[in-house]
Amino acid sequence: MGDDNNWLWSAKETIPSDTAEGQRLIKELLTQLERAEWASHDSFGIHLAAEEAIVNAIKHGNKQDPNKSVEVDIRVGKERVLIHITDEGPGFKPDDVPDPTLDENLDVPSGRGVMLIKAYMSEVSYNDKGNSVRMVKDRSQ
């Protein structure tokens, strides 16, 4: 990835389109954040963003197709966490997701996840196809 961080822990796995597998990885991520002494408010945001991205990949990207999988690359360092999630779906345009804070969208269930991820992570970028998200969280000062 070109990051010169000394990662304390990393996991690169291809998981089936099964939320239980995603939860297993998130549980491990939380354990590693605790080991690396990340503050609870940072861990909370990372947890939320990772869970949202993995669930979105499984449900929206792969449409819970058991024949499709999700690539998850997670790295935890002392000062930075990197999470990269790619599904086998057709992708989406993040800019086309309705703003969930606008009055006309308050009852629309979609868009909240994308907004939460942007709110909690330091950097968020999608590939051109829209089926891969790269999220970085820098430790709060």
Side-chain angles (χ1 to χ4, degrees):
M1 294 249 173
D3 289 300
D4 291 330
N5 270 328
N6 296 325
W7 302 110
L8 302 172
W9 178 79
S10 65
K12 192 171 175 128
E13 285 189 42
T14 301
I15 63 167
S17 296
D18 176 357
T19 50
E21 283 294 307
Q23 291 300 335
R24 178 185 57 77
L25 275 177
I26 287 164
K27 196 172 175 206
E28 183 60 34
L29 168 63
L30 292 174
T31 300
Q32 297 302 330
L33 288 170
E34 206 171 295
R35 281 201 186 132
E37 299 174 352
W38 278 74
S40 59
H41 64 273
D42 279 344
S43 291
F44 174 81
I46 293 165
H47 176 190
L48 216 65
E51 188 166 52
E52 197 58 53
I54 290 172
V55 168
N56 282 351
I58 292 168
K59 288 191 172 169
H60 301 297
N62 290 347
K63 305 274 188 255
Q64 292 176 302
D65 180 340
N67 299 313
K68 291 183 176 176
S69 54
V70 177
E71 274 181 47
V72 182
D73 184 358
I74 304 174
R75 300 167 193 214
V76 175
K78 274 281 183 212
E79 300 300 322
R80 173 171 263 216
V81 171
L82 183 136
I83 302 169
H84 196 164
I85 295 167
T86 306
D87 63 54
E88 293 185 61
F92 80 114
K93 301 232 177 300
D95 296 341
D96 291 350
V97 175
D99 180 343
T101 62
L102 296 178
D103 286 346
E104 67 264 25
N105 295 330
L106 290 178
D107 295 330
V108 178
S110 66
R112 287 187 184 75
V114 172
M115 187 189 76
L116 284 172
I117 290 169
K118 283 184 181 155
Y120 283 111
M121 301 301 275
S122 309
E123 298 168 28
V124 179
S125 58
Y126 295 88
N127 66 351
D128 288 342
K129 185 177 174 184
N131 72 327
S132 182
V133 62
R134 182 180 185 275
M135 306 176 288
V136 175
K137 177 66 178 177
D138 295 313
R139 186 186 287 268
S140 297
Q141 296 308 314

